[in-house]
Amino acid sequence: MIHTELNYGDVYLVPKKTVVDSRKECDTSVQFGPRRFVMPLYAANMKSVVDAETCEYFARRNWFYTMHRFDVDAVAFVRDMQAKGLFASISVGVNGDTLQQLAALKAAGLSPEYITLDVANGWCVKAEQMIRFIKREFPHCFLIGGNIATAEAARDLEAWGCDAIKAGIAGGRVCITKNKTGFHRPMVATVRDCAAAVSVPVIADGGIVEHGDVAKALACGASMVMAGSLFAGYDESAGEIVEIDGKRYKEYFGSASQFNKGEYKNVEGKKILVEYKGSIARLLLELQEDLQSSVSYAGGRELSALRTVQIIAVAH
Ligand SMILES: NC(=O)C1=CN([C@@H]2O[C@H](COP(=O)(O)OP(=O)(O)OC[C@H]3O[C@@H](n4cnc5c(N)ncnc54)[C@H](OP(=O)(O)O)[C@@H]3O)[C@@H](O)[C@H]2O)C=CC1
Ligand SMILES: Nc1nc2c(ncn2[C@@H]2O[C@H](COP(=O)(O)O)[C@@H](O)[C@H]2O)c(=O)[nH]1
């Protein structure tokens, strides 16, 4: 029997009695690893979304960030962020280049506060080996592993030593994995299954289309949400402005796109143009206001209230 699974766009949250007098009373902050952040939401570790300046921008405003792992000097990045009194959060892969970067960090006496193991399918032997290696060599580091999409995979990554798990396979806006391989799991099912299976925080990665999807992800059990396209196209986002017929855009491309890889090999991502939207400050404020409102509809004062709401499927 083939069963149906749902995405954010297929569900809504049922309102409860509001207990606050103003949405301002609702607290959107989240403890994640050793630090507390203003929002349970952050920009994807993609080259077309974040660069070193974007990371600094978010860290200074106490938003979580993760630098991407493509052509990055991890030593320089970690040293620079920590010299500025900011936390360092980097991404790594599973191959020899990552081992070299980690050895260089160790030799320089540096330890980032957060490391994200960023591979398409984190439920694999190479990921297990890297997770165990990082936990051994950088025991004080908060290690995020991913990506995965099932309870069984989440349990394995927790057992291997991950401090948080990033869930979401082939749900991203510039993803073509589902078209090229046939594999994908809708986000509501992914997040609910993974979050129920482990005691470490789960990050819902990809597929955020509307601001309300953040609240839906948290209602499904996510502790944090990662989004790419939501944060693309701003002054502070990575990449240059492109002008076409007098209209301004920024490029948003997948980490597994030909554009990011530099060759057409195992391509599972595409490049699109997103409208240029100016400064990101207004977006960050609006996201926070919207989430405060979500918490009020959930009948609480804190994010935990979202875990108590009923999720309903809607007929299209
Ligand atoms: N969240 C998502 O759904 C997805 C995200 N991505 C993103 O794209 C980026 C690049 O991903 P990717 O192209 O997979 O490369 P990776 O850099 O993640 O691959 C790392 C290593 O793992 C091997 N590998 C990758 N996929 C598989 C597989 N299916 N089976 C066996 N070995 C594998 C690769 O070898 P080899 O190339 O020889 O196979 C390579 O040596 C990452 O940042 C990832 O997050 C990509 C796809 C889906
Ligand atoms: N299948 C692919 N997924 C990718 C690729 N590059 C990034 N990603 C994933 O997408 C999310 C962002 O999704 P969005 O809907 O918020 O835009 C990102 O965090 C990765 O997990 C890719 O090339 N192929």
Side-chain angles (χ1 to χ4, degrees):
M1 176 75 178
I2 297 174
H3 71 273
T4 304
E5 293 198 339
L6 304 172
N7 243 315
Y8 297 132
D10 305 316
V11 300
Y12 284 101
L13 309 176
V14 179
K16 287 189 169 183
K17 182 180 178 189
T18 292
V19 297
V20 292
D21 292 331
S22 163
R23 285 165 284 209
K24 288 192 207 76
E25 291 172 38
C26 297
D27 180 8
T28 61
S29 71
V30 63
Q31 185 72 33
F32 186 60
R35 303 178 77 93
R36 198 163 186 88
F37 298 99
V38 293
M39 281 282 280
L41 171 67
Y42 66 110
N45 50 349
M46 298 164 70
K47 206 171 179 178
S48 55
V49 179
V50 296
D51 56 22
E53 283 167 29
T54 321
C55 294
E56 186 177 337
Y57 179 92
F58 281 117
R60 286 201 184 284
R61 283 155 186 79
N62 214 19
W63 280 64
F64 185 55
Y65 77 87
T66 303
M67 182 56 173
H68 66 79
R69 66 175 169 87
F70 308 103
D71 308 315
V72 172
D73 179 341
V75 170
F77 179 80
V78 172
R79 183 177 282 140
D80 194 40
M81 292 298 280
Q82 292 179 340
K84 288 170 176 156
L86 302 169
F87 67 96
S89 175
I90 61 166
S91 300
V92 298
V94 289
N95 288 339
D97 56 328
T98 286
L99 290 175
Q100 282 172 13
Q101 293 260 350
L102 293 172
L105 280 169
K106 196 103 183 156
L110 294 167
S111 180
E113 282 81 354
Y114 298 85
I115 295 182
T116 296
L117 180 77
D118 166 41
V119 285
N121 184 2
W123 197 21
C124 65
V125 174
K126 273 161 106 175
E128 176 181 1
Q129 288 166 345
M130 190 57 80
I131 288 162
R132 292 190 190 282
F133 177 80
I134 293 170
K135 287 309 289 181
R136 197 168 59 241
E137 296 297 316
F138 296 86
H140 303 299
C141 222
F142 188 84
L143 178 61
I144 300 162
N147 276 20
I148 51 98
T150 62
E152 198 184 349
R155 278 193 286 268
D156 270 358
L157 265 68
E158 183 178 42
W160 298 343
C162 287
D163 301 302
I165 290 165
K166 195 146 64 69
I169 298 274
R173 179 151 171 216
V174 284
C175 162
I176 54 170
T177 297
K178 53 187 164 311
N179 316 90
K180 293 193 70 178
T181 70
F183 282 82
H184 167 51
R185 194 169 191 206
M187 285 308 287
V188 168
T190 295
V191 180
R192 275 162 66 95
D193 261 15
C194 295
V198 293
S199 55
V200 296
V202 166
I203 301 157
D205 178 14
I208 298 294
V209 178
E210 304 177 323
H211 293 191
D213 293 344
V214 175
K216 292 177 187 178
L218 299 177
C220 290
S223 298
M224 282 292 244
V225 177
M226 175 183 262
S229 63
L230 183 69
F231 292 106
Y234 291 92
D235 285 330
E236 294 81 359
S237 323
E240 300 304 317
I241 296 171
V242 181
E243 196 160 328
I244 300 171
D245 296 334
K247 234 184 141 204
R248 289 188 289 176
Y249 304 87
K250 273 198 167 189
E251 289 176 337
Y252 176 49
F253 51 86
S255 302
S257 65
Q258 179 180 8
F259 197 73
N260 199 55
K261 289 182 163 207
E263 59 175 338
Y264 195 87
K265 189 166 187 307
N266 294 119
V267 163
E268 290 184 20
K270 63 183 177 183
K271 180 169 81 169
I272 62 172
L273 291 174
V274 295
E275 200 183 321
Y276 165 67
K277 298 174 229 119
S279 167
I280 206 168
R282 176 64 228 170
L283 173 76
L284 300 192
L285 181 62
E286 189 177 335
L287 284 164
Q288 191 167 8
E289 287 171 352
D290 289 345
L291 193 57
Q292 284 179 309
S293 196
S294 300
V295 171
S296 80
Y297 281 111
R301 299 171 184 278
E302 290 162 2
L303 293 176
S304 55
L306 286 163
R307 293 263 179 108
T308 69
V309 301
Q310 191 188 350
I311 304 172
I312 50 156
V314 287
H316 288 294

